[in-house]
Amino acid sequence: MSFDACAELVRKGDADRFRCAMVAPVELRGRLLAIYAFNLEVAKAPWVTQEPLIAQMRLQFWRDAIDEVFTGKKPRKHEVIVPLAQVIAQSNLPRELFDALIDARAFDIDHDPHTGREAFDIYIENTSGALMELAARALGAGEEAIPTIRDFAYATGVARLLQALPALFAAGRDPIPTGWVLDRGLIAAAAVDGPLSRAIHDISSDALRRLNKARQHRKLVPHFALAAILPGRDAGAILRKVLKSPENVLKLAALSEFQQRWSLLWRVSTGLW
């Protein structure tokens, strides 16, 4: 089975995860690329149309496709589903992670904010958490590593969401639960203060705590699963920057491609994350 289509999708749509996948052993790279291609297709489903019903139909397509794979039906002839079905069988990946990831993306269809901090945490767990766990399991990580991977994935998800806040707010999305009705005009002008600043501080603080906890237990994560961890390699730096000045979160500068490549090289050479 060829994974070339998955590789090209990820290379174009998720360049950093593509680079991280290339760190995995050659014979296992296809597994990560199929998982990341699936994630990319699901994640973009709510954003490629302005019609909520069409977005829901796109997510339903993936729900049905995953159901068919796990119920023993022949996979649909699709450039991502066919190789993904092979990876699921090879790695014995759990269905609930795929279902959770798809269901979580339904939030991105609407413009309503999360109902509270618990709902926000579930979203991060079922997007970043499910994805990193799937990637680690595909590389052979066992149950003893999963709690540590989940802590690191939570921090990764929060850091990536904070980096995306300018685009999310500009699109009319309110991903940070504050318990208040916020003025999107002020947010668009980068006037982050009051309840939003406090919420960002609290979320970032909890994320950094979980990241530090994960690093304390990094020995539980086998080195051969490093490629699954690497997409979160800069989460700590992002979270510390936000905690230092939550009101400037909308001014976070994305790392240049050179910085991303250098960071990846350093992590790979040291084995530290």
Side-chain angles (χ1 to χ4, degrees):
M1 174 57 60
S2 173
F3 288 83
D4 291 348
C6 292
E8 188 63 10
L9 282 170
V10 179
R11 186 185 68 81
K12 290 181 177 179
D14 197 344
D16 188 60
R17 284 198 175 94
F18 177 82
R19 287 190 288 266
C20 293
M22 293 301 101
V23 173
V26 175
E27 66 275 13
L28 296 179
R29 290 174 186 173
R31 298 185 182 186
L32 293 184
L33 292 170
I35 291 169
Y36 291 156
F38 160 78
N39 175 68
L40 185 62
E41 291 295 293
V42 172
K44 73 181 184 182
W47 298 92
V48 295
T49 176
Q50 295 295 319
E51 295 295 331
L53 181 58
I54 295 177
Q56 292 167 3
M57 290 172 62
R58 287 177 177 270
L59 289 181
Q60 189 61 47
F61 169 88
W62 289 100
R63 288 191 188 95
D64 294 341
I66 291 298
D67 179 72
E68 290 165 2
V69 170
F70 278 94
T71 55
K73 298 178 182 178
K74 186 176 181 179
R76 301 182 181 194
K77 292 182 179 180
H78 185 280
E79 60 185 359
V80 174
I81 295 170
V82 174
L84 181 64
Q86 181 178 331
V87 172
I88 289 171
Q90 290 173 334
S91 304
N92 193 29
L93 298 178
R95 173 176 178 167
E96 60 267 21
L97 296 179
F98 291 96
D99 289 338
L101 201 156
I102 296 169
D103 290 344
R105 288 300 178 182
F107 168 78
D108 296 330
I109 296 175
D110 300 320
H111 289 223
D112 295 332
H114 289 292
T115 56
R117 177 61 189 278
E118 182 180 2
F120 173 87
D121 286 346
I122 290 173
Y123 175 83
I124 297 295
E125 292 285 2
N126 289 345
T127 51
S128 180
L131 179 60
M132 191 172 286
E133 181 177 341
L134 283 170
R137 287 182 180 275
L139 294 179
E143 294 296 333
E144 69 283 354
I146 299 306
T148 299
I149 290 168
R150 279 289 189 161
D151 282 334
F152 194 74
Y154 180 86
T156 299
V158 169
R160 283 180 173 248
L161 185 144
L162 293 175
Q163 281 188 307
L165 276 184
L168 291 171
F169 284 141
R173 303 306 205 269
D174 293 334
I176 305 296
T178 63
W180 296 77
V181 176
L182 302 176
D183 187 325
R184 288 193 181 129
L186 292 177
I187 291 172
V192 175
D193 54 15
L196 180 57
S197 179
R198 289 192 295 273
I200 289 172
H201 179 278
D202 291 347
I203 289 170
S204 300
S205 179
D206 289 344
L208 188 60
R209 176 183 56 78
R210 291 187 63 173
L211 183 145
N212 290 333
K213 179 183 176 184
R215 285 177 171 166
Q216 290 171 4
H217 297 91
R218 60 160 55 98
K219 290 184 178 180
L220 294 175
V221 180
H223 183 73
F224 55 74
L226 177 64
I229 298 294
L230 286 173
R233 64 193 180 280
D234 297 315
I238 295 168
L239 294 170
R240 285 189 291 271
K241 185 179 295 186
V242 171
L243 281 170
K244 184 177 180 180
S245 185
E247 66 276 8
N248 290 326
V249 68
L250 297 187
K251 301 175 184 178
L252 281 176
L255 293 178
S256 68
E257 183 174 346
F258 173 79
Q259 290 173 315
Q260 291 179 14
R261 289 180 181 274
W262 174 252
S263 173
L264 180 61
L265 178 62
W266 187 84
R267 298 291 181 181
V268 171
S269 63
T270 62
L272 299 176
W273 43 268

